[in-house]
Amino acid sequence: MDAWGALLDAFSLPFMSRALVVLLVLSLVAGIVGVLVNLRGLEFISDGLTHAVFPGIAIGFVWGGREGLFAGAIVAAVLTAIVLAVLMRKAVPVDAAIAIVFTAMFSIGVIVVSRQTNYVGQLEQLLFGRLLTISVVEVVQTIVICAIALLLVGVTLKEQLFRAFDRTGFSAVGYRPFVLDLVLNVAIALVVVAASSAVGTLLVLAVLIVPGAVARLVTVRLWLLFPVAAVFAAVAAWLGLSLGYVASVGAGINLPSGATVVLVLVAGYALALVGRLLLDRLRAPQPRPAAVL
Amino acid sequence: MDYFSTALIAATVIGALCGLVGSLVVLRRRTFFAQALTHATFPGAVAAAMLGLSIPLGAFVASIAIVGIMTVIGRVRRQGSQVASGIVLTAGFALGVLLQALNPSLPVHVDSFLVGSILTTTGSDIGLAGGVLVVAVLVIVFFGKELLFSTFDASGYRAAGYREWPMELLTLGLITATVVTAMPAVGAILAIALIAAPAAAARLLARTTGQILVAAPVLGATAGISGVLLSRALDVAAGPAIALTAAAFFLLALAVRQIRSRAGSSRTAALPTRPASGRAAARASLGWES
Amino acid sequence: MNENDSQPRTAAPLALHVAGASFAYAQTPALEDVAFDLRAGEAVALIGPNGSGKSTLLKGVLGLIHRTAGTVEVLGESPAPAGAVGYVPQADELDPEFPVTLEQVVMMGRYRSLGWLRLPGKRDRAHVAAALEAVGLSERARTRFGELSGGQQQRGLLARALASGPRLLLLDEPFNGLDQENRNALVDTVKRLKADGVAVLISTHDLELARDVCESVLLLNGGQVAFGPLDEVLSLENVQRTFRSVGVELDEHTVVVPSHTGH
């Protein structure tokens, strides 16, 4: 099988094309929500939300099976988004507070799940998803919920950018940052929910963080950030899925599909990083900012 | 000694260690860094198991590489520390999962990596944690005032003629060692609870950094012991029980602080925080001499 | 410098009225018992050492921190009518790597009047162009904000405040570390704004500047030390009272006395 064939033919298989559709929708999300996550520095909040969804999924599943899973996840995610927005207003050390909230939520989830028989299987499914066994219904669910998240962010986009650039100036003209924080947190939470049953929280997190960071390396033009992030995510998803397919069909190695896509995303990031560093070196040597770890 | 008393001792030592080093994590705002570290050491642990080496050793070697990568990314313009943590977290975790999937027979599993198993800790695990605890105490006794200064006001610290990187390296080393030793017992995700919650609770109530450094390890150890006892009484997993106890301490501290400030005590604790920016020096000149 | 023609202007309407106002962060009092008035077309300089409450007062007027006592009225209303107040923060509090052009920053000044959902139109672009013109940065409109010099960034933030058409303008130490050219450009802009009837409140360390553009001075040091016309308030005794706590050495050679008698 030639490489070109793998990049195209593989997706004539229904399960491959369903996975691709979900990942392309997520790429769009990466292009908008992910860029805002980067500009606002909400990487840790996103990580927190992926963990906090867990008890919702666990409790929802115990109560209502597969349908309950979705409802539970949405309730947990939106609740956590609100709690985190409230914590962001308080003077307590925010990063520690986020960590405590999400580990507590996660612990509740583990306790609920550990009373079930297939505990490890469910945990792994939540983390890594079942990218290749997504049903059509799940594809539709993902698209609808991602569309809501995109709508939430889209209607507040210019205000979100203002807030990201200059918080004090933003409040000074009479906006209320809390409302915007809430909208963005809920949007992130919805994305996490939409994707976590299908692609797993690990991949959602990578989609929210990596393409935005790549876009920042590639361009300094504000409106270019969004398409760059989306296209990068889409290409990485396509390559990642193809790679998994080739490894499985061609070499008989079963790569976990979600983790493969994440690693392709990260490899793309590494390329962009090295390219940026080389470009900066070629141009006039500029003073580096102080190390901030 | 039966497995339960071993678990209690492990919970005490690891809780105290996480509380102590957690104070540095919270005061220096390195929680996300610690979180990224826990996830990113996963491939190190898997690789060590593949090669038949000690798992904590593998995790430790991996974390040194990770700290290096994060330092590089953190220095690149337009990237910064949050991005560095996020990238390393997802990359490390994905790599670990990939390695594990390719070697399904390995004794390193995702679930025990994430939530740990304190009931299976061994004497050598406890010895390792105890050793790190002693080192952490010594570091804080001997370098406490430099650590405090550089944490409170990094630019002032540099202005006073100190170099910042030794303190940074020292803290990173302590955080890394703590994460690696705590993980077999409480797991990657729950280790963060034990690192962040007791220290954050202590920070809410204590008036001085010295009080935080004493209160946080005590709270951490208490959370560890109560968690293990609760897990036996209620028949739930020990790791989550410890994490929830620690989180409950934080909530309690938050409530106490709220009541205190509502009671109108104007003697609110002078909390050590990092100042927003180091513009003080720039403003010192009054500019009307001309 | 300070022409004595300010008498008739006192008839101008009050832009800002502060009486017996105290402000607090959480439970900690930050600034107590401040009272002053600012009329349209005039400027007040806020002067005091670091931590004396200059920024606190600006944030208090903006309604960003809690007022524990007294009144703050903008154009006779409390809270301030929407869009009436423009605020210019210090440029060094912003992320120099943020991917926005100067033009995009100035456009942010239009967002509030645009409202949600709507995108900037021709009229907004005209306002932005006019604001950039007013601060003399038209030719740098498409430069990335972080690539501008500190002084140009400060002027850009002033343009952002202007783009919203404020009646009261608050400037937080706008002249810190500016070179002569940027300083002059900023002074000219502020003077023109005053001529258009905008009231200006400037926190500064620069007494020279206060003399150039302000009619009145408010001395702060945790509370109000003095308020009144520039020449009356900037006495040796008052300035000593204001700055004593920071150990600034003062004598008759460094204190500002009316310039024709100066050394």
Side-chain angles (χ1 to χ4, degrees):
Chain A
M1 185 174 54
D2 65 314
W4 190 243
L7 289 177
L8 292 178
D9 299 348
F11 297 101
S12 59
L13 296 168
F15 70 91
M16 286 295 282
S17 60
R18 281 200 292 271
L20 187 64
V21 167
V22 167
L23 287 181
L24 289 181
V25 172
L26 282 180
S27 302
L28 205 59
V29 167
I32 299 181
V33 184
V35 167
L36 282 178
V37 165
N38 179 289
L39 291 177
R40 285 284 312 279
L42 295 182
E43 285 86 355
F44 194 32
I45 293 235
S46 309
D47 180 45
L49 281 169
T50 61
H51 291 83
V53 173
F54 188 41
I57 289 182
I59 293 170
F61 188 72
V62 171
W63 264 4
R66 289 218 68 87
E67 287 77 49
L69 185 151
F70 233 75
I74 289 186
V75 171
V78 172
L79 264 182
T80 313
I82 295 170
V83 170
L84 289 179
V86 170
L87 283 175
M88 284 160 83
R89 303 170 82 189
K90 295 271 176 191
V92 287
V94 178
D95 58 342
I98 295 167
I100 296 164
V101 169
F102 83 68
T103 48
M105 294 285 280
F106 189 79
S107 300
I108 295 172
V110 172
I111 288 179
V112 172
V113 174
S114 64
R115 292 175 167 273
Q116 304 285 302
T117 45
N118 185 16
Y119 152 49
V120 174
Q122 284 188 26
L123 187 61
E124 291 193 0
Q125 192 169 98
L126 174 78
L127 289 168
F128 315 119
R130 307 162 286 104
L131 197 47
L132 300 183
T133 57
I134 309 173
S135 69
V136 175
V137 177
E138 284 170 321
V139 173
V140 174
Q141 271 175 333
T142 307
I143 292 175
V144 170
I145 298 186
C146 282
I148 296 173
L150 287 178
L151 193 70
L152 280 177
V153 170
V155 301
T156 58
L157 188 59
K158 67 179 191 303
E159 286 80 8
Q160 297 282 7
L161 292 169
F162 189 174
R163 156 108 178 72
F165 175 65
D166 177 8
R167 185 192 168 124
T168 316
F170 183 75
S171 319
V173 293
Y175 283 113
R176 291 167 46 141
F178 178 67
V179 178
L180 273 192
D181 291 357
L182 199 60
V183 168
L184 186 53
N185 283 0
V186 168
I188 298 172
L190 287 178
V191 173
V192 169
V193 170
S196 56
S197 81
V199 305
T201 53
L202 171 66
L203 182 49
V204 179
L205 189 61
V207 161
L208 284 173
I209 293 177
V210 183
V214 168
R216 290 297 301 277
L217 286 171
V218 170
T219 178
V220 292
R221 295 260 154 232
L222 182 63
W223 299 113
L224 274 183
L225 290 175
F226 301 97
V228 167
V231 169
F232 170 77
V235 171
W238 181 35
L239 285 177
L241 282 175
S242 309
L243 188 67
Y245 182 77
V246 172
S248 162
V249 175
I253 304 168
N254 273 321
L255 297 176
S257 50
T260 309
V261 175
V262 172
L263 287 175
V264 172
L265 280 167
V266 173
Y269 174 81
L271 273 181
L273 187 72
V274 170
R276 167 54 52 194
L277 287 176
L278 287 179
L279 268 181
D280 281 358
R281 180 109 354 137
L282 282 179
R283 290 179 194 159
Q286 277 161 337
R288 292 277 157 74
V292 254
L293 242 180
Chain B
M1 200 159 47
D2 64 305
Y3 74 93
F4 190 73
S5 359
T6 316
L8 275 180
I9 296 171
T12 314
V13 175
I14 290 170
L17 173 63
C18 286
L20 185 62
V21 176
S23 312
L24 295 179
V25 173
V26 169
L27 290 175
R28 292 176 79 92
R29 296 179 188 277
R30 291 287 187 275
T31 315
F32 193 30
F33 168 81
Q35 158 83 351
L37 207 53
T38 59
H39 283 60
T41 51
F42 188 34
V46 179
M50 278 164 65
L51 300 171
L53 299 170
S54 141
I55 289 179
L57 183 72
F60 194 78
V61 171
S63 43
I64 290 170
I66 288 153
V67 169
I69 293 172
M70 282 166 83
T71 310
V72 170
I73 298 179
R75 281 165 163 264
V76 175
R77 290 189 301 142
R78 306 197 294 278
Q79 296 299 296
S81 58
Q82 279 243 15
V83 172
S85 298
I87 301 270
V88 165
L89 188 154
T90 52
F93 205 22
L95 191 61
V97 170
L98 193 75
L99 286 178
Q100 201 219 349
L102 296 177
N103 303 274
S105 60
L106 286 180
V108 182
H109 289 296
V110 172
D111 62 310
S112 62
F113 161 75
L114 287 176
V115 299
S117 54
I118 202 158
L119 296 180
T120 59
T121 44
T122 61
S124 62
D125 289 339
I126 297 175
L128 191 61
V132 176
L133 179 59
V134 170
V135 172
V137 169
L138 289 179
V139 164
I140 284 167
V141 166
F142 285 109
F143 298 103
K145 66 179 195 310
E146 284 84 6
L147 275 174
L148 178 64
F149 190 0
S150 76
T151 303
F152 177 69
D153 178 6
S155 51
Y157 186 73
R158 280 195 301 273
Y162 288 102
R163 282 161 182 268
E164 216 190 349
W165 66 262
M167 286 305 115
E168 188 66 29
L169 201 65
L170 208 54
T171 349
L172 296 187
L174 280 181
I175 297 173
T176 309
T178 304
V179 162
V180 169
T181 48
M183 268 188 359
V186 288
I189 292 175
L190 303 179
I192 291 302
L194 207 48
I195 286 172
R203 186 186 184 283
L204 281 173
L205 298 181
R207 287 182 202 289
T208 65
T209 314
Q211 288 175 1
I212 297 178
L213 289 172
V214 174
V218 171
L219 285 177
T222 315
I225 296 171
S226 353
V228 172
L229 292 175
L230 274 176
S231 91
R232 180 149 90 166
L234 303 176
D235 188 25
V236 293
I242 295 174
L244 284 176
T245 316
F249 285 167
F250 173 73
L251 278 185
L252 211 62
L254 204 60
V256 169
R257 189 176 148 92
Q258 212 74 346
I259 292 165
R260 240 197 228 166
S261 69
R262 197 147 303 167
S265 81
S266 56
R267 290 149 45 92
T268 28
L271 289 168
T273 47
R274 285 181 160 231
S277 68
R279 275 180 288 112
R283 289 192 190 167
S285 103
L286 287 162
W288 76 63
E289 293 86 349
S290 52
Chain C
M1 287 245 192
N2 193 33
E3 303 98 304
N4 273 346
D5 61 358
S6 58
Q7 245 49 27
R9 280 205 223 144
T10 50
L14 269 185
L16 175 63
H17 171 65
V18 178
S22 300
F23 305 95
Y25 289 106
Q27 300 292 318
T28 321
L31 185 60
E32 306 221 294
D33 204 16
V34 179
F36 69 100
D37 286 335
L38 172 56
R39 290 181 183 279
E42 295 190 359
V44 167
L46 282 180
I47 293 175
N50 296 325
S52 61
K54 298 193 295 292
S55 294
T56 305
L57 180 55
L58 293 183
K59 290 192 170 134
V61 171
L62 288 165
L64 296 183
I65 59 167
H66 185 55
R67 188 171 78 239
T68 50
T71 43
V72 171
E73 286 177 0
V74 177
L75 304 174
E77 288 180 42
S78 180
V85 185
Y87 171 63
V88 183
Q90 297 184 45
D92 59 3
E93 287 171 6
L94 301 172
D95 173 13
E97 295 293 344
F98 203 92
V100 278
T101 61
L102 173 60
E103 201 174 36
Q104 285 166 336
V105 171
V106 177
M107 186 60 86
M108 288 173 186
R110 301 293 305 162
Y111 285 1
R112 193 73 181 131
S113 57
L114 260 175
W116 305 90
L117 278 175
R118 298 233 321 271
L119 290 176
K122 204 179 267 177
R123 242 188 71 211
D124 302 295
R125 277 192 285 276
H127 276 283
V128 168
L132 282 171
E133 181 76 47
V135 300
L137 286 178
S138 298
E139 71 282 12
R140 314 252 16 208
R142 287 173 190 276
T143 310
R144 195 164 62 79
F145 189 74
E147 283 170 1
L148 298 170
S149 73
Q152 289 171 335
Q153 290 185 6
Q154 204 69 59
R155 281 153 67 193
L157 291 175
L158 177 60
R160 182 179 73 179
L162 298 185
S164 64
R167 309 300 308 148
L168 169 65
L169 193 61
L170 311 183
L171 297 118
D172 192 357
E173 305 201 10
F175 292 79
N176 260 3
L178 290 203
D179 58 21
Q180 199 60 36
E181 184 200 332
N182 279 303
R183 190 179 177 285
N184 291 343
L186 211 48
V187 167
D188 286 347
T189 313
V190 171
K191 281 183 174 165
R192 244 178 298 127
L193 285 170
K194 286 171 60 188
D196 291 342
V198 177
V200 187
L201 184 58
I202 309 177
S203 95
T204 183
H205 279 128
D206 187 344
L207 298 205
E208 197 72 34
L209 163 78
R211 283 222 233 86
D212 280 359
V213 294
C214 297
E215 285 76 18
S216 312
V217 170
L218 177 62
L219 290 177
L220 284 179
N221 194 353
Q224 186 163 336
V225 177
F227 170 71
L230 192 111
D231 288 338
E232 287 171 30
V233 170
L234 283 185
S235 66
L236 176 62
E237 190 206 352
N238 274 341
V239 175
Q240 269 177 341
R241 268 168 63 207
T242 309
F243 285 98
R244 182 150 40 205
S245 65
V246 290
V248 171
E249 285 180 26
L250 291 166
D251 56 39
E252 272 152 294
H253 299 282
T254 51
V255 149
V256 182
V257 280
S259 52
H260 51 273
T261 62
H263 297 262

Coordinates of all heavy atoms in Angstrom, one line a residue, chain A residues 56-94:
Chain A
G56 N -19.2 13.3 36.6 CA -20.5 13.5 35.9 C -20.7 12.3 35.0 O -21.8 11.7 35.0
I57 N -19.7 11.9 34.3 CA -19.8 10.7 33.4 C -20.1 9.5 34.2 O -20.9 8.7 33.9 CB -18.5 10.6 32.6 CG1 -18.5 11.7 31.6 CG2 -18.5 9.2 31.9 CD1 -17.3 11.7 30.6
A58 N -19.3 9.3 35.3 CA -19.5 8.1 36.1 C -20.9 8.0 36.7 O -21.5 7.0 36.6 CB -18.4 8.1 37.2
I59 N -21.3 9.1 37.4 CA -22.6 9.1 38.0 C -23.7 9.0 37.0 O -24.7 8.2 37.1 CB -22.8 10.4 38.9 CG1 -21.8 10.4 40.0 CG2 -24.2 10.5 39.4 CD1 -21.7 11.6 40.8
G60 N -23.6 9.7 35.9 CA -24.6 9.6 34.8 C -24.7 8.2 34.3 O -25.8 7.7 34.0
F61 N -23.5 7.5 34.1 CA -23.5 6.2 33.6 C -24.2 5.2 34.6 O -25.0 4.4 34.2 CB -22.1 5.7 33.3 CG -22.1 4.4 32.6 CD1 -22.4 4.4 31.2 CD2 -21.6 3.3 33.2 CE1 -22.4 3.2 30.5 CE2 -21.6 2.1 32.5 CZ -22.0 2.0 31.2
V62 N -23.9 5.4 35.9 CA -24.5 4.5 36.9 C -26.0 4.7 36.9 O -26.8 3.7 37.0 CB -23.9 4.8 38.3 CG1 -24.7 4.0 39.4 CG2 -22.4 4.4 38.3
W63 N -26.5 5.9 36.7 CA -27.9 6.2 36.8 C -28.6 5.8 35.5 O -29.7 5.2 35.5 CB -28.1 7.7 37.1 CG -28.3 8.0 38.5 CD1 -28.3 7.1 39.5 CD2 -28.7 9.2 39.1 NE1 -28.6 7.7 40.7 CE2 -28.8 9.0 40.4 CE3 -28.8 10.5 38.5 CZ2 -29.1 10.1 41.3 CZ3 -29.1 11.5 39.4 CH2 -29.3 11.3 40.8
G64 N -28.1 6.3 34.4 CA -28.9 6.2 33.2 C -28.2 5.5 32.0 O -28.6 5.7 30.9
G65 N -27.1 4.8 32.2 CA -26.5 4.1 31.1 C -25.9 5.1 30.1 O -25.5 6.2 30.5
R66 N -25.8 4.8 28.8 CA -25.1 5.6 27.9 C -25.7 7.0 27.7 O -25.0 8.0 27.5 CB -25.1 4.9 26.5 CG -24.3 3.7 26.4 CD -23.6 3.7 25.0 NE -22.6 4.7 24.9 CZ -21.4 4.6 25.3 NH1 -21.0 3.5 25.8 NH2 -20.5 5.6 25.1
E67 N -27.1 7.1 27.8 CA -27.7 8.4 27.7 C -27.4 9.3 28.9 O -27.2 10.5 28.8 CB -29.2 8.3 27.5 CG -29.6 7.8 26.1 CD -29.5 6.3 26.0 OE1 -29.9 5.6 26.9 OE2 -28.9 5.8 25.0
G68 N -27.4 8.7 30.1 CA -27.2 9.4 31.3 C -25.7 9.9 31.3 O -25.5 11.0 31.9
L69 N -24.9 9.2 30.7 CA -23.5 9.6 30.6 C -23.3 11.0 30.1 O -22.6 11.9 30.7 CB -22.8 8.6 29.7 CG -21.3 8.6 29.5 CD1 -20.8 7.2 29.2 CD2 -20.9 9.5 28.4
F70 N -24.0 11.3 29.0 CA -23.9 12.6 28.4 C -24.4 13.7 29.3 O -23.8 14.8 29.6 CB -24.6 12.7 27.1 CG -23.7 13.1 26.0 CD1 -22.7 12.3 25.5 CD2 -23.9 14.4 25.5 CE1 -21.9 12.7 24.5 CE2 -23.0 14.9 24.5 CZ -22.1 14.0 24.0
A71 N -25.6 13.5 29.9 CA -26.3 14.5 30.7 C -25.4 14.7 32.0 O -25.2 15.9 32.3 CB -27.7 14.0 31.1
G72 N -24.9 13.6 32.6 CA -24.1 13.8 33.7 C -22.8 14.6 33.5 O -22.5 15.5 34.2
A73 N -22.2 14.3 32.3 CA -21.0 15.1 32.0 C -21.3 16.5 31.8 O -20.5 17.4 32.3 CB -20.4 14.5 30.7
I74 N -22.4 16.9 31.2 CA -22.7 18.3 31.0 C -23.0 19.0 32.3 O -22.4 20.1 32.5 CB -24.0 18.4 30.0 CG1 -23.6 18.0 28.6 CG2 -24.5 19.9 30.1 CD1 -24.6 18.3 27.6
V75 N -23.7 18.3 33.2 CA -24.0 18.9 34.5 C -22.7 19.2 35.2 O -22.4 20.3 35.7 CB -24.9 18.0 35.3 CG1 -25.0 18.5 36.7 CG2 -26.3 18.0 34.7
A76 N -21.8 18.1 35.3 CA -20.6 18.3 36.0 C -19.7 19.4 35.4 O -19.1 20.2 36.1 CB -19.8 16.9 36.0
A77 N -19.6 19.4 34.1 CA -18.8 20.3 33.4 C -19.2 21.8 33.6 O -18.4 22.6 33.9 CB -18.7 20.0 31.9
V78 N -20.5 22.0 33.5 CA -21.0 23.4 33.6 C -20.9 23.8 35.1 O -20.4 25.0 35.3 CB -22.5 23.5 33.1 CG1 -23.1 24.8 33.5 CG2 -22.5 23.2 31.6
L79 N -21.2 22.9 36.0 CA -21.0 23.3 37.4 C -19.5 23.7 37.7 O -19.2 24.7 38.3 CB -21.3 22.1 38.3 CG -22.7 22.0 38.9 CD1 -22.9 20.8 39.7 CD2 -23.0 23.3 39.7
T80 N -18.6 22.8 37.2 CA -17.2 23.1 37.4 C -16.8 24.4 36.8 O -16.0 25.2 37.3 CB -16.3 22.0 36.9 OG1 -16.9 20.8 37.4 CG2 -14.9 22.1 37.4
A81 N -17.3 24.7 35.6 CA -17.0 25.9 34.9 C -17.4 27.1 35.7 O -16.7 28.1 35.8 CB -17.7 26.0 33.5
I82 N -18.6 27.0 36.4 CA -19.1 28.1 37.2 C -18.2 28.3 38.4 O -17.7 29.4 38.8 CB -20.5 27.9 37.6 CG1 -21.4 27.9 36.4 CG2 -21.0 28.9 38.6 CD1 -22.8 27.5 36.6
V83 N -17.9 27.1 39.1 CA -17.0 27.2 40.3 C -15.7 27.8 39.9 O -15.2 28.7 40.7 CB -16.8 25.8 40.9 CG1 -15.8 25.8 42.0 CG2 -18.1 25.3 41.4
L84 N -15.1 27.4 38.8 CA -13.8 28.0 38.4 C -13.9 29.5 38.1 O -13.0 30.2 38.5 CB -13.2 27.2 37.2 CG -12.8 25.8 37.5 CD1 -12.3 25.1 36.3 CD2 -11.7 25.7 38.6
A85 N -15.0 29.9 37.5 CA -15.1 31.3 37.2 C -15.2 32.1 38.5 O -14.6 33.2 38.6 CB -16.3 31.6 36.3
V86 N -15.9 31.5 39.5 CA -16.0 32.2 40.8 C -14.6 32.3 41.4 O -14.2 33.3 41.9 CB -17.0 31.5 41.7 CG1 -16.9 32.0 43.1 CG2 -18.4 31.6 41.1
L87 N -13.9 31.2 41.4 CA -12.6 31.1 42.0 C -11.6 32.1 41.3 O -10.8 32.7 42.0 CB -12.0 29.7 41.9 CG -12.5 28.7 42.8 CD1 -11.9 27.3 42.5 CD2 -12.2 29.1 44.3
M88 N -11.8 32.4 40.0 CA -10.9 33.3 39.3 C -11.1 34.7 39.8 O -10.3 35.6 39.6 CB -11.2 33.2 37.8 CG -10.6 32.0 37.2 SD -11.3 31.6 35.6 CE -10.4 32.7 34.5
R89 N -12.3 35.0 40.4 CA -12.5 36.4 41.0 C -11.9 36.5 42.3 O -11.6 37.7 42.8 CB -14.0 36.6 41.1 CG -14.8 36.5 39.9 CD -16.3 36.6 40.3 NE -16.7 37.9 40.4 CZ -17.9 38.3 40.9 NH1 -18.7 37.4 41.4 NH2 -18.2 39.5 41.0
K90 N -11.7 35.4 43.1 CA -11.3 35.5 44.4 C -9.8 35.8 44.5 O -9.0 35.5 43.6 CB -11.6 34.2 45.2 CG -13.1 34.0 45.3 CD -13.6 34.6 46.5 CE -15.1 34.5 46.6 NZ -15.7 35.3 47.6
A91 N -9.3 36.1 45.7 CA -7.9 36.4 45.8 C -7.1 35.2 46.2 O -5.9 35.2 46.2 CB -7.7 37.5 46.9
V92 N -7.8 34.0 46.4 CA -7.0 32.8 46.7 C -6.1 32.5 45.6 O -6.4 32.8 44.4 CB -7.9 31.6 47.0 CG1 -8.6 31.8 48.4 CG2 -8.9 31.4 45.9
P93 N -5.0 31.8 45.9 CA -4.1 31.4 44.8 C -4.8 30.5 43.8 O -5.2 29.4 44.1 CB -3.0 30.6 45.5 CG -3.5 30.3 46.8 CD -4.5 31.3 47.2
V94 N -5.0 31.1 42.6 CA -6.0 30.5 41.7 C -5.5 29.1 41.2 O -6.3 28.1 41.2 CB -6.2 31.4 40.4 CG1 -7.1 30.7 39.5 CG2 -6.8 32.7 40.9

